[in-house]
Amino acid sequence: MQVVLGTLLASLVPVVGFNAVMTSEHFASFLVFIFIHVVAFAYYIKGLLSQKMFKVAVTLVASVGMVLCCAVVAVLIAMVASSPTKGWSGRSLSLLDPTYASKYIPIIASVSEHQPPTWPSYFMDINVLAFLVPAGITACFLPLSDASSFVILYIVTSVYFSGVMVRLMLVLAPAACILSGIALSEAFDVFTGSIKFQLPGISRNSQIDVRDTSSAGVVTQDDGVKTDKNEESLKERPSKKNKKKERENAEKALIKPPLEKRLLVLPLEASVISLLLLVLLGAFYVVHCVWAAAEAYSAPSIVLTSHTNNGLHVFDDFREAYAWLSHNTEVDDKVASWWDYGYQTTAMANRTVIVDNNTWNNTHIATVGTAMSSPEKAAWEIFHSLDVKYVLVVFGGLVGYPSDDINKFLWMVRIGGGVFPHIKEPDYLRDGQYRIDSQATPTMLNCLMYKLCYYRFVETDGQGFDRVRKTEIGKKHFKLTHFEEVFTTHHWMVRLYKLKPPKNRIRGKTKKSKTKASSTTGSKGSGKRNPWQ
């Protein structure tokens, strides 16, 4: 009931729709769901019918079921074969092949959450659990059971998936908690058992219990011998020497386990110190979790903070830029930016954006990426065709903010080049390196993103030193002809530009080209050129 209700509710979500039942990654769960109900129904029927009638019913149902299963499998194979990705989504294929998204779907690979995690991210997210998980895996093998095998399989698959995408650390977290709990439980069991065994009062009781157990075992052995004598009265009576030897072997067998257990006991001081260290380890983990939840996971992404020698410094540039847009632009003005800031612009500035975080149209995002990658004139034509009035870029070169548009620019090139072939990534690289200094390629130095980010940047320090890229920019003194700067925030983190109207853009050329235009009127057609070619 929960599976059916959950699937129906998921289908009501517009983004999901029929993907909940039409994509290949859901087929396995549905097959398990059907198989469980078939088995339950078989047990129910078996309780109602006689054994003979049950065999006839099983034969009939199996025959009809095989036919239906073959038909369903044939339909599924036909549907999967008709799909270019065999029914799998791009994110699922990225899990099975980590290089798939970077080769075929750069828009998926461009998301920071879809990048492979680094080693520090594991220690940041699971902290001390990274050291306890191997101990938990070892404990699951001693002894190996069905439950422990499932836990081992769970941790292995979750570690693999978390290594493909950093967002799947959420899958690893519960598995790491389970294995760490097993490791701590086994450790506490060993240390507390060692302490109990070596305490004065408990050690005497344990010795008495061992003696009582050994004596009881001897009596049991005697009874067993007597019983064997009664049952085998017709056989030859064993000699006293053999009877004595059997009794000695039985005493050794009963006394041996306590001796072996005593050999595994750790020293009392080591057990106490180890218990204290485990308690401190748990307390440190709780402190880390509280700090991570308060600072890393609950901090707003729209207001940034930095701790310096002078105290806490707040960077409120995003809200500053959105407030300017809200108070100084028209309600129906459209803003173009990279899709990362679409939701914020819509919610904070109440302005229409070209692309946002939920844009599934790859061509639409590629159009914005192509405009950012194109020269100023071509970019103006693309934005003008989209009825854009303002362009927003995020720049962190002055304050050292690494998640700016210059660092994301290569993804704009890749996504744009995937739809518009004239955008080629090697044109923006110098010997395979991404550079913004004097060694950068002319295509890079003349693209719109470079100009909008570094316009008047040399005025800040006289050198144009980028603190994120740790180098001086290559093109320092240039002017904008098709865009005009309308607002730059206090720390230069957000910059807003307005598209110049067509009349102002060609005013300087009108008088010069009047005579030429009058002589060539009618000789050529006035067809509008496609700005994306």
Side-chain angles (χ1 to χ4, degrees):
M1 184 63 185
Q2 294 177 352
V3 175
V4 176
L5 182 60
T7 304
L8 291 176
L9 292 176
S11 302
L12 296 177
V13 180
V15 178
V16 179
F18 286 100
N19 289 329
V21 293
M22 296 297 292
T23 51
S24 297
E25 49 260 37
H26 298 88
F27 289 169
S29 60
F30 290 147
L31 289 177
V32 172
F33 175 73
I34 294 172
F35 178 76
I36 291 174
H37 282 75
V38 168
V39 173
F41 183 72
Y43 278 108
Y44 175 74
I45 295 298
K46 187 176 182 180
L48 297 178
L49 302 177
S50 62
Q51 189 172 2
K52 185 177 180 180
M53 290 297 296
F54 179 74
K55 291 182 178 179
V56 175
V58 167
T59 304
L60 179 61
V61 172
S63 303
V64 176
M66 286 297 294
V67 175
L68 293 176
C69 287
C70 291
V72 172
V73 169
V75 173
L76 292 177
I77 292 175
M79 293 175 60
V80 170
S82 62
S83 174
T85 59
K86 307 306 179 187
W88 294 84
S89 63
R91 290 182 177 86
S92 300
L93 290 174
S94 299
L95 292 177
L96 301 177
D97 181 10
T99 63
Y100 178 83
S102 59
K103 292 179 181 177
Y104 304 105
I105 315 177
I107 190 174
I108 293 179
S110 66
V111 182
S112 59
E113 296 176 352
H114 296 166
Q115 300 297 320
T118 57
W119 283 112
S121 64
Y122 280 95
F123 298 110
M124 171 64 186
D125 291 335
I126 61 177
N127 200 252
V128 298
L129 303 188
F131 305 99
L132 294 175
V133 166
I137 295 175
T138 304
C140 287
F141 281 98
L142 302 171
L144 188 64
S145 61
D146 293 341
S148 60
S149 301
F150 174 78
V151 174
I152 294 172
L153 183 63
Y154 182 24
I155 189 67
V156 169
T157 53
S158 60
V159 166
Y160 167 75
F161 289 130
S162 67
V164 176
M165 289 186 184
V166 68
R167 70 187 304 174
L168 294 182
M169 293 291 290
L170 296 173
V171 179
L172 175 62
C177 291
I178 293 172
L179 267 298
S180 301
I182 293 174
L184 288 175
S185 176
E186 293 294 329
F188 275 110
D189 188 25
V190 171
F191 296 141
T192 54
S194 301
I195 294 174
K196 288 180 180 179
F197 191 81
Q198 298 180 66
L199 290 178
I202 298 178
S203 60
R204 293 173 185 172
N205 295 335
S206 62
Q207 291 176 359
I208 294 173
D209 293 341
V210 169
R211 291 173 184 173
D212 294 341
T213 306
S214 61
S215 60
V218 172
V219 173
T220 305
Q221 182 67 23
D222 291 339
D223 294 342
V225 171
K226 292 178 180 179
T227 304
D228 292 339
K229 288 179 181 178
N230 294 331
E231 292 179 354
E232 300 177 359
S233 58
L234 299 177
K235 296 182 179 179
E236 184 179 356
R237 183 175 181 179
S239 62
K240 292 183 178 181
K241 190 178 290 185
N242 293 335
K243 184 177 179 181
K244 186 177 181 180
K245 191 177 292 186
E246 289 178 359
R247 184 178 297 177
E248 290 176 355
N249 292 335
E251 291 178 357
K252 289 180 180 180
L254 293 170
I255 297 174
K256 190 175 181 180
L259 293 176
E260 288 182 353
K261 186 176 181 181
R262 184 175 295 179
L263 293 175
L264 296 175
V265 172
L266 298 175
L268 180 63
E269 296 80 3
S271 300
V272 173
I273 294 173
S274 299
L275 280 177
L276 292 176
L277 290 177
L278 287 179
V279 172
L280 289 176
L281 188 67
F284 174 75
Y285 180 64
V286 171
V287 172
H288 171 78
C289 291
V290 173
W291 173 85
E295 297 293 334
Y297 302 142
S298 299
S301 60
I302 198 171
V303 179
L304 307 177
T305 59
S306 175
H307 294 275
T308 61
N309 296 330
N310 298 325
L312 181 66
H313 192 76
V314 178
F315 298 89
D316 204 10
D317 290 53
F318 284 100
R319 291 202 307 166
E320 185 182 350
Y322 297 143
W324 188 93
L325 277 174
S326 178
H327 292 90
N328 297 276
T329 60
E330 300 295 334
V331 178
D332 57 348
D333 286 345
K334 295 181 177 62
V335 181
S337 65
W338 195 231
W339 62 267
D340 294 14
Y341 324 110
Y343 278 167
Q344 290 184 358
T345 306
T346 303
M348 301 294 294
N350 195 23
R351 293 298 178 265
T352 304
V353 294
I354 302 301
V355 289
D356 59 16
N357 307 60
N358 197 33
T359 302
W360 289 70
N361 192 335
N362 190 30
T363 304
H364 210 177
I365 297 180
T367 302
V368 177
T370 301
M372 298 295 189
S373 310
S374 301
E376 187 180 350
K377 181 179 179 181
W380 184 94
E381 293 176 350
I382 295 174
F383 283 139
H384 183 67
S385 66
L386 296 174
D387 196 23
V388 171
K389 295 295 180 63
Y390 295 91
V391 178
L392 182 148
V393 294
V394 175
F395 173 64
L398 182 65
V399 295
Y401 178 61
S403 299
D404 61 353
D405 284 341
I406 292 294
N407 274 357
K408 300 174 184 177
F409 179 63
L410 278 184
W411 289 111
M412 305 182 194
V413 174
R414 292 165 184 166
I415 296 172
V419 179
F420 304 103
H422 68 281
I423 301 295
K424 299 178 181 179
E425 183 180 351
D427 295 340
Y428 300 84
L429 304 177
R430 173 72 70 181
D431 298 329
Q433 295 182 348
Y434 180 51
R435 308 179 68 117
I436 51 96
D437 55 5
S438 58
Q439 299 298 319
T441 61
T443 307
M444 178 65 193
L445 295 176
N446 292 313
C447 68
L448 180 67
M449 177 57 68
Y450 186 94
K451 288 189 173 182
L452 297 187
C453 287
Y454 292 113
Y455 178 64
R456 295 192 309 107
F457 181 59
V458 71
E459 300 175 6
T460 57
D461 58 357
Q463 297 178 348
F465 184 80
D466 191 326
R467 295 187 180 181
V468 176
R469 269 63 60 175
K470 307 296 182 183
T471 184
E472 291 186 13
I473 61 176
K475 197 172 185 179
K476 302 178 181 180
H477 303 281
F478 57 87
K479 294 183 179 180
L480 298 175
T481 57
H482 303 86
F483 295 82
E484 61 177 341
E485 180 186 9
V486 292
F487 185 73
T488 296
T489 57
H490 179 68
H491 300 97
W492 285 54
M493 289 180 59
V494 182
R495 311 195 67 183
L496 292 168
Y497 295 87
K498 185 178 181 180
L499 276 72
K500 291 183 179 180
K503 292 182 179 180
N504 293 343
R505 185 169 62 90
I506 61 175
R507 179 182 297 173
K509 299 181 181 180
T510 303
K511 296 181 179 179
K512 296 180 181 180
S513 60
K514 256 184 181 180
T515 56
K516 295 181 180 179
S518 60
S519 61
T520 58
T521 302
S523 60
K524 294 184 179 180
S526 57
K528 186 178 179 181
R529 197 189 74 167
N530 187 351
W532 301 346
Q533 292 181 349

